[in-house]
Amino acid sequence: MKKSALISAVLLFITILVGVLGTYSIMIALPLIGEELHLNPVEQGAIMSVYFLGFAIFTIPGGIIADKRGSKQIIVISVVLWAILTALTGAVTSFAALLVVRFLLGVIDAPLMPAMYKAIAERTPANIRTTTISIVSSAEPIGSGLAPFLVAPLIAILGWQEATFVTASIGLLLVPILLIFLPRPFVMEQPSSSDSSSTSKSNPIPLLSLLRNIDLWKLTGMLSGINIVMIGCMTWVPTYLTTEKHLAITESGLYASLPLLISMLGYLVGGWLYDRYFYQKFRTLVIPSILVSAIFLTLMILTDDVNLFMLFESISLFFLSLTTQPIIGLTMRLIPSDAMGTATGILLTGGKLASIFTPIAMGAFIQAYSYQAGFSLLLVGAGISFVSSILIHFKRSE
C-alpha cells in the first residue's frame, strides 16, 4: 500500500470511529433518556429513526457536493458541524428539541460517508480498494464494540449529557489533523470498458443516469436489508438486555459489544475475500453468507438464554458483514471515481431509508407484543438482502 493511501486509511478510520462512539452513546443511553423524558418504546425508537431520516434525505445531495467540492473539504466541514450538534444533543432538555437536533445531526452526517468513499477511491490503487474500504469501514463495528467499554462507564460516571460533550471535543481535535495530514488525491481512474459504459473524465456521469442504473439499485436493496438487521440489533439489543434481562447499563453494553466486534471481522474478511478470490464471483460469496446469517438470526430470536442469544447474534452479524464490503467494492468497480460520491450517496440513501423505519417499527412491535416479535422484523431485512442478491447477475468477463 502506498504511503499516502495508508495515511488516508488511518485518518478516515479514526474519523469514523469517533463518529460511531458519539452515535452509539445515544443508543447506550436510550433507557436513561427514556426514563428522564418519560418516553415509551416508540418515542425512543423515534430518537434513532429521525437521525436516519435526516441522513437519508441529504445523502444524495451530499454525494453530489462531495463530487463537486472535493472529498477533503466536505469531510472537514462535516466533522466540525458533527461536533457542534453532538454537544447540542447533550444540552437539550425536551423530547421535541432532541428530535430536532438528531435530525440535523443526520443531515450533517449525510455527506460524510460519500465523501469518505470518494476519498478512498481517489487515494487508493484499484487492486486494494475494497480491502482498504473494509479496513476503514471496520471502524463502525469496532466503534460500536468499544463504545460499551468506553462510553458506558463514562455515562455511568458523568451522565449521558456530559458524555456527549466529551465525544464532541474529540471530534473537534480531529479537524486540524485532517486539514494538515490527509493527502491529496492521486487516483482518478475509470472502470474498464467491460465494467461499465465508456465514460471519460471530461464527461462525468449525470445523476439521472446513475438513478437509471438497475445494478446500483439492486446493490442498494442488499444494503437496505443489511441495515435493517444491523440497526435493529444496535438499537434494541442493549435496551432488551437492560429492561428484559435486568442487566446494569454497563453490563448490557459489554454483552451487546461482542457481536459488533465480531462483525468487524466480517467486514475485514469480506473485503479481503472479494479482492482476492471473488472479484468475478460476487454472488458466490454473498448469497451463502446471507442464508447462514438468516439461520442464526432465527435461532437468536427463538432462544431465551442470554448467552445463546449473544452467540447466535454474533454468528449472524459476522456472516452478514461478509457481504457489506463486496457491495461497496462492486459499486466502485461499476462507477467512475469522479461520480463515486453521488453513486455511494444513492447506495447509502437506500440503506438509511431502511434504517429510518426499523427502530420505530421494532419499538411498536415491542410495545404491542414482545421483544421477540420486534426482533422478528430483522428477518425481513435478511429476506430483502437475499432477494436483491439473487437478482444480481454479472458476466464473468466483467
Side-chain angles (χ1 to χ4, degrees), residues 41-50 235-236 355-367 377:
V42 175
E43 291 170 328
Q44 291 180 48
I47 293 173
M48 304 309 304
S49 292
V50 74
T235 302
W236 284 110
S355 302
I356 293 170
F357 303 104
T358 300
I360 291 181
M362 289 183 65
F365 270 69
I366 290 168
Q367 183 177 9
L377 292 179

Side-chain angles (χ1 to χ4, degrees), residues 66-386:
D67 282 334
K68 291 183 177 181
R69 302 292 298 180
S71 57
K72 182 174 181 176
Q73 182 178 358
I74 298 303
I75 290 171
V76 170
I77 293 173
S78 295
V79 171
V80 171
L81 295 178
W82 172 88
I84 294 172
L85 287 168
T86 297
L88 285 176
T89 301
V92 298
T93 56
S94 69
F95 175 58
L98 186 58
L99 288 180
V100 172
V101 173
R102 293 290 296 170
F103 175 79
L104 292 176
L105 191 56
V107 171
I108 293 306
D109 269 354
L112 184 58
M113 287 311 298
M116 290 272 193
Y117 290 131
K118 181 178 176 63
I120 294 171
E122 293 174 338
R123 292 163 173 82
T124 309
N127 64 322
I128 60 169
R129 198 165 287 162
T130 307
T131 302
T132 305
I133 292 172
S134 67
I135 293 172
V136 173
S137 299
S138 70
E140 185 168 348
I142 289 175
S144 301
L146 289 178
F149 296 93
L150 301 176
V151 179
L154 196 64
I155 292 174
I157 295 171
L158 300 178
W160 71 270
Q161 294 96 336
E162 289 77 7
T164 62
F165 301 151
V166 173
T167 53
S169 300
I170 296 173
L172 287 177
L173 292 175
L174 269 178
V175 173
I177 297 174
L178 290 169
L179 282 171
I180 296 170
F181 295 106
L182 186 63
R184 292 183 178 183
F186 70 90
V187 176
M188 290 300 292
E189 299 176 2
Q190 306 298 324
S192 63
S193 58
S194 61
D195 283 344
S196 67
S197 58
S198 178
T199 306
S200 67
K201 184 179 175 182
S202 60
N203 295 289
I205 297 178
L207 174 61
L208 187 59
S209 295
L210 290 173
L211 291 174
R212 290 174 176 171
N213 190 316
I214 301 300
D215 295 329
L216 187 58
W217 284 111
K218 293 174 183 177
L219 293 170
T220 300
M222 280 193 67
L223 192 61
S224 298
I226 291 170
N227 272 18
I228 289 175
V229 179
M230 291 293 189
I231 295 301
C233 288
M234 289 176 65
T235 302
W236 284 110
V237 167
T239 303
Y240 165 74
L241 296 175
T242 301
T243 59
E244 290 293 303
K245 298 303 179 182
H246 309 294
L247 301 181
I249 190 168
T250 52
E251 190 178 5
S252 66
L254 294 177
Y255 266 84
S257 69
L258 179 61
L260 299 173
L261 287 173
I262 291 176
S263 71
M264 173 268 295
L265 297 177
Y267 276 73
L268 297 174
V269 173
W272 179 78
L273 286 175
Y274 179 75
D275 272 346
R276 188 72 180 268
Y277 300 109
F278 293 94
Y279 185 77
Q280 302 286 348
K281 296 176 285 186
F282 176 82
R283 282 160 34 105
T284 304
L285 173 61
V286 301
I287 292 177
S289 298
I290 295 171
L291 283 175
V292 174
S293 176
I295 291 171
F296 281 97
L297 193 62
T298 303
L299 294 174
M300 179 197 86
I301 294 168
L302 294 176
T303 188
D304 193 50
D305 182 87
V306 172
N307 293 322
L308 287 177
F309 181 96
M310 303 312 301
L311 174 63
F312 295 147
E313 183 192 0
S314 299
I315 298 173
S316 176
L317 295 189
F318 171 80
F319 279 95
L320 197 64
S321 296
L322 286 178
T323 67
T324 304
Q325 302 315 308
I327 291 173
I328 304 299
L330 188 55
T331 302
M332 288 192 167
R333 174 180 159 192
L334 297 174
I335 307 297
S337 57
D338 60 357
M340 190 54 57
T342 306
T344 53
I346 295 171
L347 194 69
L348 293 172
T349 295
K352 294 306 178 184
L353 281 173
S355 302
I356 293 170
F357 303 104
T358 300
I360 291 181
M362 289 183 65
F365 270 69
I366 290 168
Q367 183 177 9
Y369 304 105
S370 66
Y371 272 93
Q372 187 178 54
F375 286 129
S376 296
L377 292 179
L378 302 179
L379 291 173
V380 175
I384 292 173
S385 188
F386 177 74

Side-chain angles (χ1 to χ4, degrees), residues 56-67:
I57 291 174
F58 288 92
T59 298
I60 293 178
I64 295 173
I65 293 171
D67 282 334

